[in-house]
Amino acid sequence: SITKTADKSIVHPGYLLNYTLTIENTGNANATNVIVTEVYDSNVTFLSSTPSPDFGTNNKWTIPLLQPDESFTITITVRVAKPLENNILIHNYANVTCDEGSYDEDSIDVTVISAPELMITKDAIDTNGYPLEPEDTIHYIIQITNIGDKNQLDNPGNEFEDPIPAYTILNEASLYASSGTISYDTINNKIIWNGEVAVEETITITFDVTVKKPLDNGTIINNTAILYWDSNGDNSNDATSYAYAELEVRSKPILSITKTADKSIVHPGYL
């Protein structure tokens, strides 16, 4: 007989999974040339076992003799693939045979739990150099990184929105995204991005705005980026994250005076 167990009932992508196979002779005669064969799920990779598999294999063990009531144990360590979709099953199967014709098999399923985990950062750069003044250009850099164990899909609704900050005008030609689709919503005056973010991938989004003129000294240019993402692996954007950037405008009046006369020479008593 063969019995198969796993050290986890649920597992995350990229994690280790340990199987234990117990082979037992419950009959009343010796079992010779006992062969144990393991069939791995396509989403796991064999790493090691105790004892080691037969030479040249990673899924076969030969036990020369198994006496009545004797048992033999094999432990196997595999690594689960990453990324994987949420709630898929890791199905592993094993069987045992011997020269005397006895046969048994067992299998076990382990459920994969996975979800994206997105992080967002935002930087604002005055391309004209400090201090920020009216008519300067602000260059925004947004980075979205998936540190989870499932790809963030292009789900219904927007993945990213960024309202254009007050007191600025967007340079539409500056819109850039390293992947996915970026666009400008003219009605709502905001940038929209949609697309996938693979595990360990970083998406970069950039755009430029011009600071309006005139502006009072100390005016704050405040910008908030909004990220919508799937936190539980059900391919629906249920979570929201924010990234902020703030710059202060320095402005002052510059007065000049020019004086002219209607004559370069004049007679006494004349205007």
Side-chain angles (χ1 to χ4, degrees), residues 12 92 135 138 169 187 197 251-252:
H12 287 276
N92 272 55
E135 296 188 313
I138 303 174
I169 300 171
I187 295 176
V197 188
S251 61
K252 59 184 179 181

Side-chain angles (χ1 to χ4, degrees), residues 14-29:
Y15 280 42
L16 299 182
L17 186 57
N18 297 299
Y19 293 112
T20 300
L21 306 180
T22 302
I23 300 91
E24 186 176 7
N25 183 353
T26 59
N28 54 17

